[in-house]
């Protein structure tokens, strides 16, 4: 194997290894040009998810390097020049045990933190508030059942407005989600039409919004990120305008959140819930 053939592999390995700490250099809440790795982790789930990503990257790098070294050894040791009489060996018990046990051990190393993260992100027992997220073609609707039960739609602002106001093209919306910091927030998601996906990389959230059912996860934004806006997008192919239903979450202090709630209760409509369930007569 020549140096020219190895050069792309070495470049890829260098990009992976240097990209492990790139999240610390990325802007909080949004992607950066030429960014490697994940966005900067914010929530407790995101921090654990980022650590798990680093573990997987090192495992993949180690496996790739070991396999590459074995291939180079085989090319060198068993070339026609150095091995003119091919071996007729068909079985090697120790080698077969090693290449069976080694992948099993690697999968166990991956499975333990993977299941721990999966259950940790599933739901929170003591939620301080709930946000209901409804996917629609092609925008999001949000309900605040614990803060006056008001609801509003969130649509992407047009490109001309974004450029004129210095906002994020294809990411900023007319009505961003407002959430308080240092608060355990339950997120429940559904859809009115087709399957959507509410994805927020900095919070390590990527959950389907499915018609007819509720999916649940949670998040908590530390107080140091008050005033920060986090951006995400729908990550499920949901139709022709799938690329134009972004997500914007603004983190604020509890005092700012309470003031916003008072304004939002007057500005947005309330959700009318049925007072009682009527049962059809059997007659």
């Amino acid at each position: 194997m020549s140096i020219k053939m190895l050069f792309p592999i070495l470049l890829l390995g260098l990009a992976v290894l240097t990209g492990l700490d790139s999240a610390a250099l990325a802007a909080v809440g949004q992607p950066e040009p030429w960014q490697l790795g994940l966005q900067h982790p914010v929530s407790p789930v995101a921090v654990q998810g980022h650590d798990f990503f680093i573990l997987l990257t090192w495992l993949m790098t180690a496996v790739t390097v070991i396999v590459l070294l074995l291939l180079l050894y085989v090319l060198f040791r068993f070339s026609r020049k150095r091995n003119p009489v091919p071996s007729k060996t068909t079985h090697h018990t120790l080698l077969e045990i090693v290449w069976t046990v080694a992948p099993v051990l690697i999968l166990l190393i991956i499975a333990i933190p993977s299941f721990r993260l999966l259950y940790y992100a599933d739901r929170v027992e003591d939620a301080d508030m709930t946000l209901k997220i409804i996917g629609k073609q092609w925008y999001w609707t949000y309900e605040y059942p614990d803060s006056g039960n008001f609801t509003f739609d969130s649509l992407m602002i047009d490109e001309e407005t974004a450029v004129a106001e210095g906002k994020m093209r294809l990411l900023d919306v007319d009505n961003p989600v407002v959430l308080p910091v240092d608060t355990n927030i339950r997120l429940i998601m559904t859809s009115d039409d087709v399957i959507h996906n509410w994805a927020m990389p900095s919070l390590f959230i990527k959950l389907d919004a499915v018609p007819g059912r509720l999916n649940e996860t949670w998040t908590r934004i530390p107080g140091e990120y008050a005033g920060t806006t986090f951006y995400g997008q729908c990550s499920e192919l949901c139709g022709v305008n799938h690329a134009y239903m972004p997500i914007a979450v603004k983190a604020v202090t509890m005092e700012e959140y309470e003031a916003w709630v008072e304004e939002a209760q007057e500005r947005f409509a309330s959700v009318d819930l049925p007072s009682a369930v009527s049962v059809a007569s059997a007659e």
Side-chain angles (χ1 to χ4, degrees):
M1 182 178 292
S2 65
I3 297 297
K4 291 183 178 180
M5 298 176 64
L6 286 174
F7 188 68
I9 300 176
L10 295 176
L11 283 181
L12 178 60
L14 180 63
V16 170
L17 294 177
T18 56
L20 289 178
D21 296 327
S22 63
L25 303 176
V28 176
Q30 62 189 48
E32 280 289 293
W34 297 97
Q35 175 185 331
L36 294 173
L38 305 179
Q39 290 187 23
H40 183 81
V42 173
S43 67
V45 175
V47 172
Q48 289 197 19
H50 186 262
D51 293 340
F52 183 55
F53 163 75
I54 293 178
L55 171 65
L56 290 181
T57 304
W58 280 113
L59 282 175
M60 290 187 294
T61 303
V63 170
T64 302
V65 170
I66 291 173
V67 172
L68 176 61
L69 293 177
L70 288 175
L71 287 174
L72 293 176
Y73 173 77
V74 169
L75 291 173
F76 176 81
R77 173 65 179 79
F78 299 104
S79 64
R80 179 179 296 181
K81 179 180 178 180
R82 295 176 177 80
N83 194 45
V85 181
S87 172
K88 297 183 180 180
T89 302
T90 57
H91 296 283
H92 193 290
T93 304
L94 178 60
L95 184 60
E96 292 178 0
I97 293 175
V98 169
W99 72 40
T100 300
V101 174
V104 173
L105 295 178
I106 293 174
L107 290 177
L108 286 176
I109 294 174
I110 295 174
I112 294 173
S114 175
F115 280 107
R116 184 185 297 117
L117 177 61
L118 182 66
Y119 285 110
Y120 184 62
D122 186 36
R123 59 175 51 89
V124 59
E125 295 182 0
D126 300 320
D128 300 313
M129 64 169 289
T130 298
L131 174 69
K132 184 176 181 181
I133 302 164
I134 305 172
K136 299 180 180 179
Q137 291 180 313
W138 284 272
Y139 59 95
W140 299 96
T141 295
Y142 299 99
E143 296 180 6
Y144 286 73
D146 300 329
S147 303
N149 211 34
F150 59 87
T151 180
F152 61 86
D153 298 330
S154 181
L155 291 83
M156 184 186 75
I157 60 176
D158 59 82
E159 185 173 355
E160 292 76 12
T161 303
V163 173
E165 298 181 0
K167 295 185 176 181
M168 297 286 291
R169 174 178 172 271
L170 299 179
L171 288 177
D172 262 308
V173 297
D174 55 355
N175 294 313
V177 177
V178 178
L179 296 176
V181 296
D182 294 330
T183 304
N184 291 335
I185 304 168
R186 177 186 292 113
L187 304 173
I188 55 176
M189 306 180 192
T190 187
S191 171
D192 270 359
D193 35 58
V194 298
I195 298 178
H196 300 276
N197 186 287
W198 203 82
M200 183 63 60
S202 289
L203 303 180
F204 212 75
I205 298 173
K206 189 176 184 298
L207 192 62
D208 279 345
V210 182
R213 65 172 296 173
L214 291 176
N215 284 335
E216 180 180 335
T217 186
W218 71 284
T219 191
R220 181 184 179 91
I221 305 174
E224 61 188 284
Y225 296 102
T228 304
T229 299
F230 304 94
Y231 295 97
Q233 292 175 302
C234 177
S235 294
E236 185 70 50
L237 292 176
C238 57
V240 64
N241 287 331
H242 156 71
Y244 307 109
M245 50 183 305
I247 305 162
V249 175
K250 184 178 180 181
V252 298
T253 63
M254 182 57 71
E255 292 75 15
E256 293 173 330
Y257 175 74
E258 292 174 351
W260 176 81
V261 166
E262 293 182 3
E263 177 187 350
Q265 289 175 346
E266 298 178 0
R267 180 181 175 189
F268 300 121
S270 298
V271 181
D272 295 327
L273 298 177
S275 58
V277 178
S278 59
V279 180
S281 174
E283 299 179 357

